[in-house]
Amino acid sequence: VPGDNKVTVTLPRALLLRGHLLDFEGRPAGVDTVAAVNGNEAYRSATDRETGAFELAVSGPGPWTLMNHQNVRGVATAVVTAPADGIVLKLDRRAGLRVLVTADGRPAPSMAVVARVRPSEKPGAAGRRDERPQKLAYGSTDERGIAELWGLLPGTVEVEVVSQVVRRAKVLATLENHRLTEVTIAVDRGARIEGGVVDASGKPVEGADITATVGPTRRNEQRSVRSDEQGAFALVALDPALTYELIGTLEDSVSAPQRAKAGATGVRLALQPMPRISGRVVDAADGRALKNFLVDGNDVESEDGRFSVARGQGDPNDAILVYAAGYLSTDVELQGRSELGTIALRAAPHVTG
């Protein structure tokens, strides 16, 4: 509306929730995060390392459900009304799980351990079984190969070791409240594929990204690694029974896909420059060159609107997307062309209010 309009906005004063997070023995719990949740609203505060103190500024009286974030040591919850001071959140250890991970008969440090509810143990909407796995807790094995997790609900859980250097392995464990259940998981290092990356002249290439895939239905089998200063690479933790498709990339160069069975050695990936597409992007209304735009996912800065970008491994007959801020995006059919000529973008409708 034209004219001199004044708007006064009054901001409500925040209400505070103050308290301490204590461990199961009543001592300050150290570094953690406390969240206050009411419907879709959530506020978080880090606890003090020495005292376990926290302070949360919330929007209204609530009620607010307080909970801690790091459930590896236990779970603390409380329902309060703001403002409130002197709140005590005490960790309940619930059920505990000690996982020993071994590889080749020896303790395996730095392994990620995840505990999830089994689908049959977790009810879904309207009493139906919920097939989605639910992460309960996670941790990492220490130098002894041990990860200890607390704050779990009693019942049957699936315990899995997840790592890029060993094959995934899982076991089932039955947990009891306030008791520590011990399990051992022996992981398999799997098979390897070893090889090297070279450029078009046969010179070793350092820093190339090598990706090994099986197919869209086996995404958990995808592996990636980077070539070393001699161009050598080793993909590990592979399924010995599978054949993988390997591709090497570095900046604007890519290798042809190459299939190799797990256990193969001497695989050679030769990088070749990616085919390029070029053209010029202008304003459809006045023919003015656009200086900043996006072509096929590539950011371009150009004084005269001209571009030349790598196409990658796409079908030469595909369409590419060209976009600039403030303009309508457009799809350009390649039709096997590398020179696209002038691409005119129309300004997007301008709405004010």
Side-chain angles (χ1 to χ4, degrees):
V1 179
D4 185 12
N5 297 289
K6 294 182 179 180
V7 178
T8 301
V9 179
T10 302
L11 298 178
R13 184 180 296 275
L15 301 177
L16 297 181
L17 298 173
R18 295 191 181 99
H20 290 79
L21 179 66
L22 307 179
D23 67 15
F24 67 99
E25 294 181 342
R27 300 172 301 190
V31 178
D32 205 327
T33 300
V34 173
V37 180
N38 181 0
N40 292 326
E41 287 188 83
Y43 302 91
R44 293 175 176 81
S45 170
T47 59
D48 182 80
R49 179 185 296 274
E50 301 297 329
T51 66
F54 63 86
E55 180 178 289
L56 288 154
V58 296
S59 61
W64 298 93
T65 299
L66 300 181
M67 63 188 73
N68 71 309
H69 176 67
Q70 297 185 20
N71 62 355
V72 174
R73 297 173 299 160
V75 175
T77 61
V79 178
V80 300
T81 301
D85 206 345
I87 302 168
V88 175
L89 286 178
K90 190 172 182 180
L91 295 177
D92 181 355
R93 303 191 82 176
R94 293 185 177 173
L97 179 66
R98 176 178 289 171
V99 184
L100 170 63
V101 181
T102 64
D104 302 325
R106 296 189 295 273
S110 303
M111 296 287 169
V113 176
V114 181
R116 301 184 182 93
V117 172
R118 294 185 66 194
S120 60
E121 303 288 333
K122 183 164 65 73
R128 295 190 303 272
R129 192 174 66 151
D130 190 342
E131 296 293 344
R132 296 171 299 175
Q134 176 188 9
K135 183 187 293 184
L136 285 182
Y138 60 91
S140 180
T141 57
D142 58 21
E143 66 279 359
R144 302 168 300 164
I146 294 175
E148 192 168 300
L149 312 175
W150 286 93
L152 303 171
L153 292 173
T156 302
V157 296
E158 181 182 86
V159 189
E160 184 175 18
V161 177
V162 182
S163 172
Q164 286 289 323
V165 298
V166 298
R167 301 285 302 163
R168 287 175 176 245
K170 63 181 69 174
V171 299
L172 297 179
T174 300
L175 308 182
E176 298 181 26
N177 209 24
H178 300 121
R179 294 193 62 179
L180 182 66
T181 300
E182 299 185 2
V183 298
T184 299
I185 302 179
V187 295
D188 181 5
R189 297 195 182 276
R192 298 162 59 94
I193 293 178
E194 299 179 359
V197 182
V198 297
D199 61 18
S201 66
K203 180 181 177 180
V205 175
E206 178 183 1
D209 293 313
I210 299 92
T211 302
T213 57
V214 176
T217 62
R218 301 292 296 273
R219 293 190 178 184
N220 62 324
E221 289 294 339
Q222 180 171 316
R223 298 290 186 272
S224 60
V225 73
R226 185 164 290 179
S227 60
D228 63 19
E229 59 272 14
Q230 280 82 42
F233 68 86
L235 292 152
V236 300
L238 305 178
D239 186 331
L242 295 180
T243 297
Y244 293 78
E245 182 175 271
L246 278 60
I247 295 177
T249 58
L250 179 65
E251 297 176 351
D252 292 346
S253 297
V254 64
S255 73
Q258 185 165 333
R259 293 176 62 81
K261 194 175 188 313
T265 60
V267 178
R268 188 172 184 267
L269 300 177
L271 300 182
Q272 299 290 338
M274 296 180 185
R276 303 185 71 83
I277 51 176
S278 57
R280 186 167 182 258
V281 180
V282 301
D283 186 306
D286 57 16
R288 174 174 48 88
L290 301 186
K291 296 183 178 182
N292 296 278
F293 48 90
L294 197 71
V295 177
D296 196 30
N298 297 280
D299 285 309
V300 178
E301 294 184 10
S302 171
E303 288 298 321
D304 60 2
R306 297 187 182 279
F307 67 87
S308 176
V309 299
R311 175 66 182 110
Q313 294 183 300
D315 188 318
N317 294 313
D318 280 347
I320 63 166
L321 180 72
V322 180
Y323 168 78
Y327 290 82
L328 298 175
S329 62
T330 185
D331 290 319
V332 179
E333 298 286 344
L334 293 182
Q335 299 176 343
R337 299 175 297 162
S338 59
E339 172 55 52
L340 304 182
T342 299
I343 302 170
L345 298 185
R346 294 186 294 117
H350 185 61
V351 179
T352 60

